[in-house]
Amino acid sequence: MNHVIRATAAEDWQRVKALRLDALRDPVAHIAFLETYENAAARPDEVWQERAAGARGELIAQQFVAERPDGGLDGSVTVLIERAGRQDVLGGWVDTDQAHLVGVFVRPEQRGTGLARALFDAAIAFARGFDQPEVSRVRLFVHQDNRRAEAFYEKIGFTRSGHSVPVPGDDSAVEHELVLG
């Protein structure tokens, strides 16, 4: 693997947008993401610029990417710092200051190469290095039908917490919360 794992910057917005749109074309996008390709493609450039810069209103967010030597992006994960006493991105209440990992994607040809692990290492180090607020737990959610992703998360130390939430827009399916042990 000869990628550089790094936080995004404002000037990355076009490549970040292209990577996200590619992720939303993935065959499992319907169970991996809470957004459709059509909705994402229709977003104004300002949204992508803010995402790349880490601006999300009051929410602290940092996206990490895997960059090839030619400048192309092959993967991404975003860390959201959730504050106790506030609502999370799924509408639930947060009990403790925590990091929530979202938007996980690695291009199919890079899967199994260690790239996803490198992205997670960077995201987790960022979360654990946060001191205001101090993050006491790291979590993510995985769709009940996304066994491949859940197996990877378990391999790197995440376990089910016992908490699940309905998938937004589909009450017949759930997302399981996994926490880093």
Side-chain angles (χ1 to χ4, degrees):
M1 180 183 78
N2 57 351
H3 290 79
V4 172
I5 307 300
R6 65 174 181 81
T8 59
E11 61 268 12
D12 295 322
W13 75 269
Q14 290 173 313
R15 292 183 297 150
V16 166
K17 176 182 177 180
L19 181 66
R20 178 64 173 189
L21 293 177
D22 287 348
L24 293 170
R25 288 186 194 106
D26 191 274
V28 297
H30 66 286
I31 61 170
F33 303 109
L34 299 177
E35 175 176 47
T36 66
Y37 174 87
E38 294 75 21
N39 288 344
R43 293 186 188 283
D45 290 346
E46 293 78 24
V47 169
W48 299 103
Q49 292 163 354
E50 290 171 359
R51 277 187 175 190
R56 305 262 174 109
E58 290 185 17
L59 183 64
I60 299 166
Q62 183 60 68
Q63 183 174 11
F64 290 88
V65 291
E67 183 177 30
R68 296 187 307 262
D70 68 3
L73 303 180
D74 281 337
S76 174
V77 62
T78 298
V79 181
L80 306 176
I81 303 297
E82 298 176 324
R83 303 295 308 260
R86 296 185 183 173
Q87 274 192 307
D88 65 19
V89 294
L90 296 173
W93 288 99
V94 177
D95 294 330
T96 186
D97 293 335
Q98 62 190 4
H100 185 165
L101 306 183
V102 299
V104 177
F105 176 70
V106 172
R107 292 188 187 281
E109 64 273 14
Q110 295 296 329
R111 294 176 186 158
T113 66
L115 193 61
R117 178 61 191 241
L119 283 163
F120 268 74
D121 287 347
I124 292 165
F126 171 81
R128 291 210 164 131
F130 220 81
D131 62 355
Q132 201 56 340
E134 184 176 339
V135 170
S136 61
R137 76 196 284 257
V138 178
R139 72 173 183 163
L140 55 81
F141 283 89
V142 64
H143 191 283
Q144 68 186 23
D145 296 333
N146 201 346
R147 286 297 309 145
R148 181 181 52 97
E150 188 170 358
F152 167 73
Y153 301 144
E154 289 171 349
K155 182 178 175 182
I156 63 171
F158 284 85
T159 57
R160 284 192 187 185
S161 70
H163 176 64
S164 298
V165 297
V167 172
D170 181 5
D171 289 341
S172 68
V174 297
E175 296 259 348
H176 300 293
E177 181 188 53
L178 280 70
V179 294
L180 189 58

